[in-house]
Amino acid sequence: MPITLAHLRRYAIARSLFKPTTLGRAIGKLGFVQADPIRAPARAQDLTLRHRVAGYRAGDLERRYPRLPLEEDFFVNYGFLPRTHHGLMHPRTPRIEWSPARRRQAEAVLAFIRERGSVHPRAVDAHFAHGKITNWFGGSSNASTHLLDEMHYRGLLRVARRDGGTRVYAARDGEAAVPVDEATAHSRIDALVDVIVGKYAPLPANSLGRLLSLLGGGAPQWVKHRASALKRAKQRLAGARVEGVDWYWPAAETPASSRWRPDENVRLLTPFDPVVWDRSRFEIFWAWGYRFEAYLPPPKRKLGYYALPLLWHERVIGWGNLALAGGRLAGSFGYISGRAPGGSAYRTGLEAELARMRAFLKVDEPARPLALARPVEPAQQD
């Protein structure tokens, strides 16, 4: 049977939004969960997991992380992944070498952390008084926090837990930072590529290439192997040319299979959810351009500060902006057609999704479904 765009769209939704399971199994199936610190109305990692973990509540990952075989680290972006996947990227060799002075500074901090077991960044800053630096956004940050981030990236530290969202570090005893042979490098890269494809499939060819470029952040020591890894991936993955675009997915799966049937739920997805993360695929599937606008000045926003893509059946029909205000869930919705779908099925589905969101946020007070369900034009979102 020829693969169609409808097959690929159903496959993308159904394979990612699998039947809810345990937290450990869900992260294992996803392979990686992207993290983001913004809470609107919860962090991205929690908003991703609430669809895929039975009974999940906001903050469960942070609370249970110390007891699970997980690591926080940079992969194709920053987030949480199983230790088996994490180990494929280490020992990591950063592209920029430390100066002797910076290395001595890191060694002193590492000894301090080893002596104490695990350390909050405030304790490091108080002990060493490293001062301030200018951060990526032009503001001021503690130099100690920046050094801890560098040490974590280089594999000297791991995140032991979080306290109120802040990373608490412990020393990580891993392999010495020595190069691996070519065969081992290729094997590890291929395994990491399979993690990427397992999470984001089906992938247009351009998106697969882009994700391999992003993998250079997680495994910078193998950047020179990107081209050969991409070539091997295209040879071992299944694929098809659909409406002029080359697509790839795991060889053991068949997008045209009847097993890939999205449910009828209305779902509010985080901007970082694997169903909508690939913006180029998003436009191919749903014929409109979703953009994450949190870092845009308010006058330039069209959808809202943290617009959550709104999925119903096989379509992303619009977006919602939700927030906790006075202990209640409040917000507004916009629709790409300019109005909400007619009939009771969508309204009932939306109200069920808002009830799930309240349970996830542990909000007892009900929302106001009439206000939330009213169509909102893009220009009115701000």
Side-chain angles (χ1 to χ4, degrees):
M1 177 188 297
I3 303 294
T4 67
L5 194 60
H7 289 139
L8 293 172
R9 185 168 49 239
R10 288 193 291 268
Y11 169 59
I13 296 168
R15 76 182 302 276
S16 181
L17 291 168
F18 47 79
K19 182 179 178 180
T21 182
T22 65
L23 178 56
R25 287 177 181 171
I27 295 176
K29 285 176 73 69
L30 288 168
F32 170 75
V33 177
Q34 185 172 347
D36 188 82
I38 296 174
R39 296 194 200 198
R43 293 190 177 98
Q45 54 268 37
D46 290 324
L47 290 168
T48 296
L49 291 167
R50 79 180 185 92
H51 295 288
R52 298 164 173 92
V53 178
Y56 190 85
R57 299 294 180 264
D60 279 355
L61 176 58
E62 182 174 315
R63 285 187 287 272
R64 297 181 58 191
Y65 170 85
R67 302 190 300 277
L68 292 170
L70 302 175
E71 294 291 336
E72 283 194 43
D73 202 353
F74 195 93
F75 179 42
V76 292
N77 34 54
Y78 189 84
F80 301 82
L81 69 170
R83 284 189 187 139
T84 51
H85 299 165
H86 177 267
L88 295 170
M89 299 185 293
H90 289 272
R92 181 183 281 156
T93 307
R95 300 177 194 179
I96 300 174
E97 290 189 17
W98 271 338
S99 67
R102 188 65 162 173
R103 185 169 296 281
R104 287 193 296 272
Q105 197 175 43
E107 288 170 352
V109 170
L110 184 60
F112 177 79
I113 292 174
R114 280 191 170 132
E115 182 180 335
R116 286 156 180 79
S118 62
V119 173
H120 192 285
R122 281 197 302 267
V124 175
D125 190 58
H127 185 83
F128 290 95
H130 289 138
K132 300 285 185 178
I133 61 166
T134 301
N135 60 31
W136 288 100
F137 302 102
S140 179
S141 298
N142 287 332
S144 295
T145 300
H146 186 69
L147 176 59
L148 290 168
D149 286 346
E150 289 184 11
M151 294 173 67
H152 178 211
Y153 181 74
R154 290 166 185 260
L156 298 173
L157 303 177
R158 65 176 300 271
V159 177
R161 66 181 188 279
R162 284 183 177 247
D163 285 351
T166 300
R167 288 175 286 198
V168 174
Y169 292 100
R172 178 175 176 266
D173 296 318
E175 305 170 63
V178 296
V180 299
D181 60 57
E182 288 286 299
T184 302
H186 288 175
S187 175
R188 290 189 180 188
I189 296 167
D190 290 350
L192 291 169
V193 172
D194 287 345
V195 174
I196 290 170
V197 175
K199 178 171 182 180
Y200 293 114
L203 281 163
N206 287 345
S207 298
L208 178 60
R210 179 182 171 228
L211 280 160
L212 260 72
S213 294
L214 292 175
L215 183 58
Q221 64 271 30
W222 296 324
V223 168
K224 66 180 181 180
H225 297 297
R226 175 184 173 273
S228 62
L230 181 58
K231 182 178 179 180
R232 289 193 303 275
K234 289 181 176 180
Q235 290 172 343
R236 73 176 179 277
L237 295 171
R241 189 168 183 82
V242 180
E243 297 187 14
V245 177
D246 291 324
W247 293 81
Y248 296 94
W249 57 84
E253 298 177 358
T254 305
S257 170
S258 61
R259 68 173 288 204
W260 307 114
R261 289 180 292 184
D263 60 39
E264 298 183 359
N265 290 332
V266 174
R267 296 178 187 266
L268 286 159
L269 305 174
T270 172
F272 306 105
D273 192 280
V275 172
V276 298
W277 180 89
D278 182 352
R279 304 298 189 247
S280 60
R281 189 183 79 170
F282 185 105
E283 293 195 29
I284 294 172
F285 280 169
W286 294 294
W288 64 280
Y290 169 78
R291 297 291 181 268
F292 181 58
E293 300 176 339
Y295 299 111
L296 289 178
K300 293 187 176 182
R301 294 178 193 147
K302 295 181 179 180
L303 307 183
Y305 172 70
Y306 200 86
L308 304 172
L310 181 60
L311 176 70
W312 186 39
H313 294 289
E314 299 173 26
R315 295 184 297 145
V316 177
I317 61 173
W319 59 93
N321 284 279
L322 301 183
L324 288 174
R328 302 184 71 178
L329 184 64
S332 60
F333 287 89
Y335 300 93
I336 196 62
S337 68
R339 64 180 62 190
S344 62
Y346 170 71
R347 184 182 182 85
T348 299
L350 178 60
E351 290 177 354
E353 172 66 338
L354 294 175
R356 289 191 294 270
M357 183 70 79
R358 292 195 299 272
F360 158 74
L361 295 169
K362 294 178 278 191
V363 174
D364 295 326
E365 192 71 27
R368 293 165 292 194
L370 284 173
L372 284 166
R374 186 180 301 130
V376 181
E377 297 292 338
Q380 295 175 288
Q381 285 291 320
D382 293 320

